[in-house]
Amino acid sequence: MSAFVPGALAGVRVLDCADLSGAFAGRLLAAMGADVVLIEPPGGSPLRALPPFWDGLPPADASVFHWCYAAGKGSVVCDPATRPGRARLARLAAAADVVVETGPPGGTLARLGTAHPQLVVASITPFGQTGPWRDWRATDTVAQALGGMLAVNGDPGGPPLRMAGLQAYHQAGIQAAIGIVAALLARDAGGTGQHVDVSLHAAVAAALEHVPGLFHQDGRVAQRQGTLHWTRHFRVGRCRDGWALHCTLGDWTTLREWMRADGIDDPGLDDPALEAPAVRQEQAERLFGALDRFAARYTVAELHEGARLRRLPFAAVRAPEALLHDPQLAARGFFVPLDHPGLGRRLPFPGAPFRLGDLPWRTAPPPVPGADDARVARAWGTR
């Protein structure tokens, strides 16, 4: 039997008092080996009742949302609205290294670092702890909109479109986890705890790929371009049985010969000026129109394979469920089997999105409410 290898954050105690907007931060810390304890009210966290549900089963055991965000965490039932609950929460905070909270700016949990100087407190709020909007509320959609994601997502001339999933919450969770690890490193180097102030609004703005760069570079305000990438070298187009990402980068002569062989005999495509990528970038709409006509003759698999053989950077656009059978993800062991005790079933579960050398990525079933009451009281010394 191989020796046990602790995770990167083994020994770090995290008190997870976050709602939906901050749940991902605790999930990342738990996966890296921290002892993350989810503070749940009597009856369990509201996240347990969020859809979708596995096979339409009762939400108590079947919330796929809760599995994803609570995997690897422990659970302690504590009601901060009562005096015993507040006293217990205070004892847990005194024994913890990190608290993740999503309460109003300046709230009790945000001020815990004052009472415990070695504690790292990460506060995730819509607009941060300071500023004229600090007391405003926001959902993931509002944060996506005010942060700039929606403005550049959609068809030209059409309305802005919301990104799929909880992208604002995810970005805030990632940045909170990074800030927490940095604060722990600084503390271990002889410092004290820090207050990590994460704004959904700022997290979204910081995550935009090209918008700030274009503006700071030459004052351009990015516009919605549909499926045309902001570089104007990639666009999603139709094939016979689905969608593929077309590209005008790579060797233009090779692509042009392939198109000509399939009957796309547009004389304008033989202009020698098109050998320059900058010219192809300027004429993107016309060139992608020709590529759409070309790709419509192929299935997605045929187009992808033909481009691969010619070393052209095309790509298939896959449905999410196709990832379960992806050979690259299988070779890296991305999906791991997870035994869910509430369902009595083994299910494929997303594993490590990145690797830290040989350190493990922890994936465990979501906890039963209060399952770790006794363990935490004993291990954290908070009886």
Side-chain angles (χ1 to χ4, degrees), residues 232-234 246-250 252 255 277 280-281 284 287-288 291 314:
R232 297 175 60 81
H233 283 302
F234 301 89
H246 307 332
C247 180
T248 58
L249 290 176
W252 176 250
L255 177 57
R280 300 200 295 273
Q281 185 182 48
L287 297 183
F288 280 115
L291 277 169
F314 284 45

Side-chain angles (χ1 to χ4, degrees), residues 93-319:
D97 297 290
V98 178
V99 171
V100 182
E101 65 94 18
T102 51
T108 302
L109 290 176
R111 297 195 303 268
L112 279 173
T114 304
H116 309 290
Q118 294 300 110
L119 188 64
V120 173
V121 179
S123 298
I124 301 173
T125 57
F127 298 100
Q129 299 291 308
T130 60
W133 295 354
R134 68 187 292 272
D135 296 319
W136 288 17
R137 298 181 181 182
T139 61
D140 183 271
T141 300
V142 171
Q144 284 193 34
L146 284 171
M149 277 186 180
L150 271 65
V152 292
N153 190 34
D155 292 323
L161 295 180
R162 186 187 187 283
M163 297 287 288
L166 300 173
Q167 297 301 327
Y169 294 168
H170 289 165
Q171 291 301 326
I174 291 168
Q175 294 193 27
I178 292 171
I180 288 167
V181 172
L184 289 171
L185 290 173
R187 189 191 68 175
D188 291 348
T192 61
Q194 299 184 41
H195 188 189
V196 180
D197 178 8
V198 179
S199 154
L200 298 179
H201 184 224
V204 171
L208 300 180
E209 179 185 12
H210 64 291
V211 177
L214 292 178
F215 182 78
H216 289 297
Q217 179 178 311
D218 55 17
R220 275 188 290 167
V221 176
Q223 304 295 317
R224 291 187 284 280
Q225 297 185 168
T227 64
L228 178 64
H229 189 256
W230 66 268
T231 61
R232 297 175 60 81
H233 283 302
F234 301 89
R235 193 179 79 175
V236 172
R238 268 283 191 187
C239 293
R240 276 169 39 200
D241 61 346
W243 299 84
L245 182 71
H246 307 332
C247 180
T248 58
L249 290 176
D251 186 80
W252 176 250
T253 300
T254 298
L255 177 57
R256 181 67 192 100
E257 289 176 350
W258 186 17
M259 295 172 71
R260 185 184 293 109
D262 274 358
I264 306 299
D265 199 19
D266 183 345
L269 299 179
D270 296 322
D271 184 352
L274 290 174
E275 292 292 339
V279 175
R280 300 200 295 273
Q281 185 182 48
E282 291 172 359
Q283 300 186 30
E285 285 84 358
R286 181 174 72 85
L287 297 183
F288 280 115
L291 277 169
D292 284 345
R293 296 193 301 274
F294 167 66
R297 302 164 181 246
Y298 289 89
T299 66
V300 173
E302 291 167 348
L303 185 73
H304 183 227
E305 179 65 12
R308 188 182 68 82
L309 292 173
R310 294 169 175 83
R311 303 180 66 83
L312 297 170
F314 284 45
V317 177
R318 293 176 174 170

Side-chain angles (χ1 to χ4, degrees), residues 37 76 88 91-92 372-383:
V37 175
V76 166
R88 187 178 190 195
R91 292 194 299 271
L92 289 167
D372 297 88
D373 284 344
R375 178 189 69 81
V376 170
R378 181 177 63 253
W380 290 31
T382 59
R383 287 188 174 88

